[in-house]
Amino acid sequence: MRAAVFQGPGEITVEDVPKPEIEAPTDAIVRVTHTAVCGSDLWFYRGESDRDSGTRVGHEPMGIVEEVGDDVRSVEPGDRVFAPFVVSCGHCEFCRKGLHTSCVDGDGWGGDNGGGQGEYVRSPHADGTLVRVPDRHADDEETLEAILPLTDVMGTGHHAALSAGVEEGSTCIVIGDGAVGLCGVLAARRLGAERIVAMGHHEDRLDIAEEFGATETVSARGEEAVERATELTYGGANHVVECVGAASSMDTAIGVCRPGGTVGYVGVPHGVNEDGLDLLSMFRDNIALRGGVAPVRAYAEELLADVLQGTLDPSPIFTKTVDVEGVPEGYRAMDEREAIKVLVKPEH
Amino acid sequence: MRAAVFQGPGEITVEDVPKPEIEAPTDAIVRVTHTAVCGSDLWFYRGESDRDSGTRVGHEPMGIVEEVGDDVRSVEPGDRVFAPFVVSCGHCEFCRKGLHTSCVDGDGWGGDNGGGQGEYVRSPHADGTLVRVPDRHADDEETLEAILPLTDVMGTGHHAALSAGVEEGSTCIVIGDGAVGLCGVLAARRLGAERIVAMGHHEDRLDIAEEFGATETVSARGEEAVERATELTYGGANHVVECVGAASSMDTAIGVCRPGGTVGYVGVPHGVNEDGLDLLSMFRDNIALRGGVAPVRAYAEELLADVLQGTLDPSPIFTKTVDVEGVPEGYRAMDEREAIKVLVKPEH
């Protein structure tokens, strides 16, 4: 089968690799029909985080179950399924409390199970990991493209908004106009926020933020951006949804948070320790920091129900589509910010 | 009047200074009968934080109202009162929501209002700041010594426990065996915690922690301490009450927190930015950080009611008593860890 492989910074190739096989009775083999390139893939692509050369990449698979192990109960061959970016058993303490990312038997994609950006994956813990799309929606292309972000960015934006304590009537500020930030806006609207100030640097993306429910946008940078957002919210928002993870955006988040408020964060922290989180401001103003790697499996059923009933559609974040041979081009387009998020459709 | 003055690291003197006078109609003049030396005073005493030479010190005053401005409604001359370590107006947005430390018109002690470690203070915003002790308890020395910690350390320990989400049935870990840590134990017990693991380095203080309600204590250091507390809680506590503020204790707090748990912190952060908060662990495990400078005014009535009914008594933290001339000796004793907390009784 064909699959994308990381060769080194700036270099993704598509190779012939062995098709995965059932290894444990709880495994399922999924023929990938839809997957994506993630903003977090750009960290290793840009050489800003370490990754071994020769490893398979991708972690947002959706497809058709081809084969299941003897112990798999919740899916069967022919089912349309998707999988979150983390494998989880579904029944340990942490899975039961909705923190699937801390599953005691969890794993990522990209090891011997196959990365998500390829023709097939092996899903360990299929009952805990895979989410089944009801048959009546299983072949509707538009619906599938709206579901695909539930593998990662939509669940991540939702986790950020929940972590920030967004609820009915909230005023919130969403930082970042990448796919997660845009999904954070959608999530905040879905949770009932009354005012959503979206902060970012790209007018075309902020236009999507407005489509998604942002009531105001701020495109300034640095101190000016903090001042503008603080002014718009009469002294800062109680709920700040941080969707970038860079040191500068964490500073912005703390800067626009109202005393006693909460910053919900989901961007993998980058460079924050070097420059130091502004803990003294947080301390002085009793600003809480909640969040982390998003347990998107916990939110899958709830968000899927909304997509299926037509009240949630994050698919406008996909601004470019490639086949499996086009994955390297997908990385390039995202790296150069030509595309917000790239949809990958391996053709079999 | 006599009052303690900071001269430079390691040097506190007691000087003749002008007695404060009413300056605004919302002021009150309080003759200080009880006050204290705070662990946070040691930061400037040790030269670890900046403070101008010649400034008055102390911020935990209790005493008798001597004179009030024309607009003061809640106290009158002769009343026994105490004041939190921060002055607050009592009616702005933040005071109304219980975040008095973010009062829009707030202030600290030690400027022209007089530091707390002297014979008199001027309380700005007397209605918002001062808490009246009911007459029937106003002259009972034992009760007064149990009330005095409500000016700072008891309210601070309570804020840490609340911020960590401690509630009925919780298992929690309290880090620090100073006055705030010990009050954190008391607060956790009061909030209904079932298991309280106290971590510190001094056997005599951990004995008090046990009197205060700790069910287990850990006196090891570094990695060994983290392992021991993690083992005792079968994988870490969901509620970690951090009462020190040093980089090493923040690391310990994150290390002993269960995935999905919360670290409540109230110690002024020291050295954390230099060494970097372990944000990557927090991110991976979805550990939240809540807290900050404690709005002890918000908790005063509630904690006072418990002291008056005899169910709360933090006074064992006072292990040494001095008069106003003995304040320098009080700093020395706390600096050298001879005393947990020093009670100061200016005699008039």
Side-chain angles (χ1 to χ4, degrees):
Chain A
M1 72 167 203
R2 303 287 285 167
V5 177
F6 174 71
Q7 303 294 355
E11 194 183 356
I12 302 286
T13 57
V14 180
E15 309 282 334
D16 284 316
V17 300
K19 185 181 160 186
E21 291 174 3
I22 297 286
E23 294 178 15
T26 48
D27 284 354
I29 302 298
V30 178
R31 175 166 55 86
V32 178
T33 57
H34 300 72
T35 183
V37 183
C38 185
S40 67
D41 291 332
L42 296 180
W43 294 116
F44 60 77
Y45 186 74
R46 291 172 175 164
E48 293 174 19
S49 67
D50 291 333
R51 189 182 186 103
D52 288 340
S53 171
T55 52
R56 306 258 288 282
V57 284
H59 53 253
E60 299 159 287
M62 168 186 274
I64 303 288
V65 175
E66 197 167 272
E67 192 185 350
V68 297
D70 288 344
D71 291 348
V72 173
R73 294 284 174 273
S74 59
V75 296
E76 54 184 34
D79 284 351
R80 173 80 63 177
V81 296
F82 65 93
F85 67 88
V86 166
V87 168
S88 54
C89 75
H91 52 73
C92 71
E93 166 191 347
F94 298 107
C95 285
R96 285 194 193 282
K97 76 191 241 190
L99 194 62
H100 298 71
T101 44
S102 291
C103 174
V104 298
D105 203 21
D107 202 355
W109 298 97
D112 66 350
N113 52 34
Q117 292 155 1
E119 293 184 305
Y120 292 87
V121 290
R122 176 178 65 84
S123 170
H125 296 301
D127 283 336
T129 303
L130 299 177
V131 185
R132 193 172 167 279
V133 177
D135 290 342
R136 72 172 62 184
H137 301 284
D139 297 309
D140 181 66
E141 186 57 30
E142 261 184 49
T143 303
L144 295 176
E145 291 183 15
I147 292 172
L148 186 61
L150 276 48
T151 59
D152 187 337
V153 289
M154 185 63 223
T156 297
H158 180 65
H159 187 58
L162 271 189
S163 297
V166 174
E167 58 182 11
E168 213 169 288
S170 294
T171 290
C172 67
I173 295 173
V174 178
I175 297 174
D177 56 9
V180 175
L182 296 174
C183 287
V185 170
L186 266 185
R189 188 184 61 175
R190 181 177 171 277
L191 290 165
E194 240 169 49
R195 289 189 69 198
I196 304 171
V197 179
M199 298 179 74
H201 301 318
H202 306 86
E203 289 302 335
D204 55 330
R205 298 180 178 200
L206 291 174
D207 288 346
I208 298 181
E210 286 185 338
E211 276 175 45
F212 278 7
T215 51
E216 283 106 345
T217 63
V218 172
S219 60
R221 286 179 184 266
E223 264 314 300
E224 193 191 334
V226 171
E227 275 167 32
R228 180 76 188 116
T230 304
E231 188 182 272
L232 277 171
T233 51
Y234 313 108
N238 280 311
H239 312 280
V240 178
V241 183
E242 204 290 310
C243 299
V244 181
S248 60
S249 60
M250 291 296 273
D251 279 350
T252 299
I254 294 165
V256 300
C257 192
R258 202 176 193 87
T262 302
V263 173
Y265 77 120
V266 291
V268 186
H270 269 82
V272 176
N273 271 16
E274 288 81 347
D275 297 340
L277 191 68
D278 188 3
L279 197 58
L280 280 174
S281 292
M282 290 172 60
F283 182 82
R284 183 193 61 211
D285 292 337
N286 273 270
I287 292 172
L289 185 66
R290 294 195 86 91
V293 55
V296 305
R297 182 63 187 83
Y299 311 130
E301 284 82 359
E302 172 186 358
L303 297 176
L304 179 60
D306 278 22
V307 172
L308 296 182
Q309 74 182 6
T311 56
L312 178 66
D313 179 10
S315 66
I317 59 173
F318 293 119
T319 56
K320 181 180 178 83
T321 302
V322 297
D323 62 12
V324 71
E325 304 299 333
V327 169
E329 160 62 11
Y331 275 76
R332 190 207 54 76
M334 280 182 62
D335 180 40
E336 296 178 12
R337 295 184 188 276
E338 269 175 39
I340 299 178
K341 190 169 176 73
V342 171
L343 174 65
V344 180
K345 294 193 197 179
E347 282 171 14
H348 295 267
Chain B
M1 72 166 202
R2 303 287 285 169
V5 178
F6 174 72
Q7 302 295 354
E11 194 183 357
I12 302 287
T13 57
V14 180
E15 309 281 333
D16 284 316
V17 300
K19 185 180 159 187
E21 293 173 3
I22 297 285
E23 294 178 15
T26 49
D27 285 354
I29 301 299
V30 177
R31 175 166 56 84
V32 177
T33 57
H34 301 71
T35 183
V37 183
C38 184
S40 68
D41 291 332
L42 296 180
W43 294 116
F44 59 77
Y45 186 74
R46 291 171 175 165
E48 292 174 19
S49 67
D50 292 332
R51 188 182 187 102
D52 289 340
S53 172
T55 51
R56 307 258 288 281
V57 283
H59 53 252
E60 300 160 285
M62 167 186 276
I64 302 289
V65 175
E66 196 166 274
E67 191 186 349
V68 297
D70 288 344
D71 291 348
V72 174
R73 295 282 174 274
S74 59
V75 296
E76 54 184 33
D79 284 351
R80 173 79 62 177
V81 295
F82 65 92
F85 67 87
V86 166
V87 168
S88 53
C89 75
H91 51 74
C92 72
E93 167 191 345
F94 298 108
C95 286
R96 286 193 192 282
K97 78 192 240 191
L99 194 61
H100 298 71
T101 44
S102 291
C103 173
V104 299
D105 203 19
D107 202 355
W109 298 98
D112 65 352
N113 51 33
Q117 291 154 2
E119 293 185 305
Y120 292 89
V121 290
R122 176 177 64 84
S123 170
H125 296 301
D127 284 336
T129 302
L130 299 177
V131 185
R132 193 171 167 279
V133 178
D135 290 342
R136 72 173 62 183
H137 302 283
D139 297 308
D140 181 66
E141 185 58 28
E142 261 185 49
T143 304
L144 294 177
E145 291 184 15
I147 292 171
L148 186 62
L150 275 49
T151 58
D152 188 336
V153 289
M154 183 63 223
T156 297
H158 179 65
H159 188 58
L162 271 189
S163 297
V166 175
E167 58 182 14
E168 214 167 286
S170 295
T171 290
C172 67
I173 295 173
V174 179
I175 297 175
D177 56 9
V180 174
L182 296 173
C183 288
V185 170
L186 267 185
R189 188 183 60 175
R190 181 177 171 278
L191 289 166
E194 242 169 48
R195 290 190 68 199
I196 303 171
V197 178
M199 300 180 73
H201 302 319
H202 306 85
E203 289 302 336
D204 55 330
R205 298 179 178 200
L206 291 174
D207 289 345
I208 298 181
E210 287 186 337
E211 276 175 44
F212 279 6
T215 52
E216 282 106 346
T217 62
V218 173
S219 60
R221 287 178 183 267
E223 262 315 299
E224 194 192 333
V226 170
E227 275 166 32
R228 181 78 188 116
T230 304
E231 188 181 272
L232 278 172
T233 51
Y234 312 108
N238 280 312
H239 312 282
V240 178
V241 183
E242 204 291 310
C243 298
V244 181
S248 61
S249 61
M250 292 295 274
D251 279 350
T252 300
I254 294 164
V256 300
C257 192
R258 203 177 192 84
T262 302
V263 173
Y265 77 118
V266 292
V268 185
H270 269 83
V272 177
N273 270 16
E274 287 81 347
D275 297 340
L277 191 68
D278 187 3
L279 196 58
L280 280 174
S281 291
M282 290 172 59
F283 182 81
R284 183 194 61 211
D285 292 337
N286 273 270
I287 291 173
L289 185 66
R290 294 195 84 90
V293 56
V296 305
R297 182 62 186 84
Y299 310 130
E301 284 82 1
E302 174 186 355
L303 297 176
L304 179 60
D306 278 22
V307 172
L308 296 183
Q309 75 182 7
T311 56
L312 179 66
D313 179 10
S315 65
I317 58 173
F318 293 119
T319 56
K320 183 182 177 80
T321 302
V322 296
D323 62 11
V324 71
E325 304 299 331
V327 169
E329 161 61 11
Y331 274 77
R332 189 206 56 76
M334 281 183 61
D335 181 37
E336 295 177 14
R337 295 185 189 276
E338 270 175 37
I340 300 179
K341 190 169 176 73
V342 171
L343 173 64
V344 181
K345 293 193 197 178
E347 282 169 13
H348 297 268

